């Protein structure tokens, strides 16, 4: 196990360059930089958090382009995900714009999404989620995710939580950008604190999807 010491500046330079030249030839010429400056620190960061949150999946850098119009071969970010339940858990990402963390549900199957919407529709459980999100917003987190442009089928457009019901995914994230902490071992404590703050959201989704 490698101790986490921060992400070097070379990691962000790598993704700046990859966005300009997303080709196999660029990757082959710079794959050692990816391994040393991006993947190794990300693995070390998630290993430092694993005792509390669980083992992370550090995603592969290659894109699945089989059914995509965009055929560029490599992802322009490195993500890591700690699963806490179906489609639910904590996330960390490094990319050209900097570093960010988040949590929520990233993809829900039809039955799971139906259970989440039923909980949002319920006055007690729905208001509990609203309260959690308000607290997180006040703490500097941003609430996002994929949403329907119209109401989901079967729900009144005047529903007091119609905006939440429109979510097909719900992601609450904090952008660190290029804060100096990302280059130091102190990032472990910062991510731990943010993931702890996001735990009530993760537990709400776990409870309602189960």
């Amino acid at each position: 196990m490698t101790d986490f010491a921060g992400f070097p500046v070379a990691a962000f330079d790598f993704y700046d360059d990859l966005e300009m030249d997303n080709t196999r030839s660029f990757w082959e010429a710079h794959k050692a930089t990816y391994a040393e400056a991006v993947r190794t620190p990300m693995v070390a960061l998630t290993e430092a958090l694993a005792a509390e949150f669980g083992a992370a999946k550090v995603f592969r850098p290659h894109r699945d382009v089989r059914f995509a119009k965009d055929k560029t071969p490599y992802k322009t970010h490195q993500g890591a995900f700690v699963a806490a339940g179906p489609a639910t858990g904590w996330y960390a990402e490094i990319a050209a714009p900097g570093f960010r963390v988040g949590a929520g549900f990233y993809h829900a199957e039809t039955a799971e999404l139906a259970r989440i919407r039923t909980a949002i529709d319920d006055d007690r459980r729905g208001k509990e989620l609203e309260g959690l999100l308000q607290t997180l917003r006040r703490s500097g987190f941003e609430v996002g995710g994929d949403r329907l442009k119209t109401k989901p089928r079967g729900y009144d457009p005047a529903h007091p939580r119609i905006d939440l019901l429109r979510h097909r995914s719900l992601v609450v994230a904090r952008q660190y950008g290029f804060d100096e902490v990302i280059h130091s071992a102190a990032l472990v404590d910062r991510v731990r604190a943010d993931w702890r703050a996001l735990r009530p959201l993760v537990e709400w989704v776990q409870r309602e999807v189960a």
Side-chain angles (χ1 to χ4, degrees):
M1 176 177 172
T2 302
D3 289 338
F4 180 75
F7 289 99
V9 172
F12 303 96
D13 292 342
F14 170 81
Y15 281 115
D16 274 332
D17 294 339
L18 181 63
E19 288 189 353
M20 299 296 292
D21 186 8
N22 196 324
T23 62
R24 182 184 175 120
S25 59
F26 172 85
W27 187 270
E28 289 300 315
H30 297 86
K31 63 183 179 182
T33 301
Y34 165 77
E36 295 166 10
V38 177
R39 187 174 181 83
T40 295
M42 182 63 85
V43 170
L45 174 64
T46 56
E47 286 180 345
L49 296 162
E52 180 172 348
F53 297 95
K57 176 180 180 179
V58 177
F59 294 109
R60 63 197 295 269
H62 304 82
R63 296 181 62 247
D64 183 353
V65 299
R66 289 173 298 174
F67 308 108
K69 291 181 180 179
D70 177 4
K71 298 298 182 182
T72 51
Y74 302 103
K75 298 172 184 174
T76 54
H77 62 273
Q78 176 64 67
F81 179 68
V82 178
T88 306
W90 292 273
Y91 184 72
E93 180 187 285
I94 181 175
F99 182 82
R100 71 182 182 121
V101 296
F105 66 93
Y106 298 87
H107 169 74
E109 299 296 338
T110 302
E112 294 163 352
L113 185 56
R115 287 195 289 273
I116 289 170
R117 284 182 173 148
T118 296
I120 293 171
D121 182 41
D122 179 77
D123 227 27
R124 178 184 62 80
R125 293 177 292 166
K127 286 181 178 178
E128 180 186 2
L129 177 60
E130 279 187 315
L132 291 174
L133 295 177
Q134 287 172 3
T135 297
L136 291 168
R137 283 191 183 99
R138 286 196 296 267
S139 298
F141 288 94
E142 299 172 358
V143 178
D146 181 36
R147 301 198 307 170
L148 294 170
K149 293 181 179 178
T150 58
K151 71 177 184 68
R153 186 177 302 171
Y155 288 97
D156 186 339
H159 192 289
R161 289 177 295 282
I162 192 63
D163 284 344
L164 281 177
L165 287 166
R166 289 169 54 206
H167 278 268
R168 289 184 289 203
S169 64
L170 178 63
V171 181
V172 179
R174 187 192 298 280
Q175 307 289 337
Y176 289 39
F178 299 108
D179 189 312
E180 283 299 316
V181 73
I182 66 180
H183 302 304
S184 73
L187 182 62
V188 174
D189 291 334
R190 185 77 66 85
V191 175
R192 181 183 290 112
D194 279 341
W195 280 6
R196 284 175 177 172
L198 290 162
R199 188 185 295 278
L201 170 64
V202 172
E203 291 177 344
W204 187 95
V205 179
Q206 282 180 298
R207 185 174 67 245
E208 303 307 338
V209 170

